Amino acid sequence: MLLKDKVCIITGGAVNVGRAFCEQLLKNGAFIAIFDLDSDIGELCCAELKQQFGKNRIIFCHCDVTDFTQFEESFQMTKDTFGKIDILVNNAEISNDKFWELETDVNLNGFIRGSLLAYRFMSKDKGNEGGTIVNIGSSCSVKPFISSPIYCATKHAIVGLTKAYGNDYHYNLTGVRVICYCVGPTESDFSSHSRQNNNTPNHERARNIDMQGIRYQKLDHVAKELITVLLNASSGSLWIVRNDEKPSEFPFSNELF
Ligand SMILES: *[C@@H]1O[C@H](CO)[C@@H](O)[C@H](O)[C@H]1NC(C)=O
Ligand SMILES: *[C@@H]1O[C@H](CO)[C@@H](O)[C@H](O)[C@H]1NC(C)=O
């Protein structure tokens, strides 16, 4: 698949890894819709990217992924602007187990809302051209993370979402490929915001265990390798990028039982 002139939605696209994804997609010739909760940062990000990549390739949509109606309106605005939608990057997340209901609503339900809307706007059986959903996971999509069990649960859950929706059965019907891109510890995002989680001594101890031997990789590397994965990954596949290395496909059986 080529990315030139593809229309991509990136949730949580105004900061950190989301913004880095936007930049890489633009560099590869895509049109992008930045969906973000924060209008000030979103508008600013949009203005900066327009200066760099041209006025007509980028829009910002104020979007809270916990609000289905707003999410739907943002999809519609993207379609009205660019004429179609090709790729959804489900990226918006929070990492704070103290606010676990919100965390689940963003990290899991938000990905589900995005997927349902992506099917409506991209699916071949609804008269569209097909497309791709990328679910952004983390290292705790595939290993336990003892300092944030609920965050870890949401990140595991989207693996199931990817494997089931990504199965040939759905792919054959809809032409929508579903892949999961798991981003290991990365400078800027992980280091800063998980820290606000909880600072009791016990939590610090759990965090230290989780963080043993961790090396933060470059944001730019994570974003560039998303492009490689977008170009190559088959539906239902799960990829991990860590330690500034090339992404590797994570083996995952479809036929254990
Ligand atoms: C999907 O389509 C492919 C190619 O036509 C076919 O080989 C495969 O059996 C189909 N899979 C399912 C689950 O329908
Ligand atoms: C992706 O596919 C291209 C072309 O088939 C190949 O050259 C490249 O090595 C692949 N990259 C990965 C990470 O598999």
Side-chain angles (χ1 to χ4, degrees), residues 46-88:
C46 187
E48 286 170 359
L49 294 178
K50 278 180 172 171
Q51 275 199 336
Q52 203 180 338
F53 296 98
K55 280 211 297 285
N56 304 322
R57 308 196 76 82
I58 309 152
I59 60 167
F60 169 69
C61 301
H62 174 250
C63 175
D64 177 349
V65 298
T66 69
D67 180 338
F68 192 89
T69 305
Q70 209 175 76
F71 212 163
E72 187 176 27
E73 285 165 1
S74 300
F75 264 79
Q76 190 61 53
M77 183 171 157
T78 306
K79 171 132 192 218
D80 292 345
T81 306
F82 297 123
K84 59 169 184 163
I85 297 168
D86 300 296
I87 296 173
L88 166 69

Side-chain angles (χ1 to χ4, degrees), residues 167-169 172:
N167 187 277
D168 264 2
Y169 172 82
N172 286 359

Side-chain angles (χ1 to χ4, degrees), residues 103-124:
E103 188 177 51
T104 308
D105 205 13
V106 173
N107 297 11
L108 175 56
N109 295 353
F111 280 40
I112 293 171
R113 291 182 193 97
S115 302
L116 294 173
L117 287 165
Y119 279 117
R120 191 196 301 169
F121 282 83
M122 304 196 306
S123 190
K124 282 184 175 158

Side-chain angles (χ1 to χ4, degrees), residues 12-66:
V15 292
N16 282 332
V17 77
R19 174 163 177 159
F21 289 155
C22 290
E23 287 175 18
Q24 278 306 321
L25 288 162
L26 284 162
K27 279 185 188 154
N28 283 273
F31 294 95
I32 64 160
I34 305 164
F35 286 14
D36 208 286
L37 184 59
D38 189 323
S39 290
D40 292 342
I41 293 174
E43 295 287 5
L44 181 65
C45 170
C46 187
E48 286 170 359
L49 294 178
K50 278 180 172 171
Q51 275 199 336
Q52 203 180 338
F53 296 98
K55 280 211 297 285
N56 304 322
R57 308 196 76 82
I58 309 152
I59 60 167
F60 169 69
C61 301
H62 174 250
C63 175
D64 177 349
V65 298
T66 69

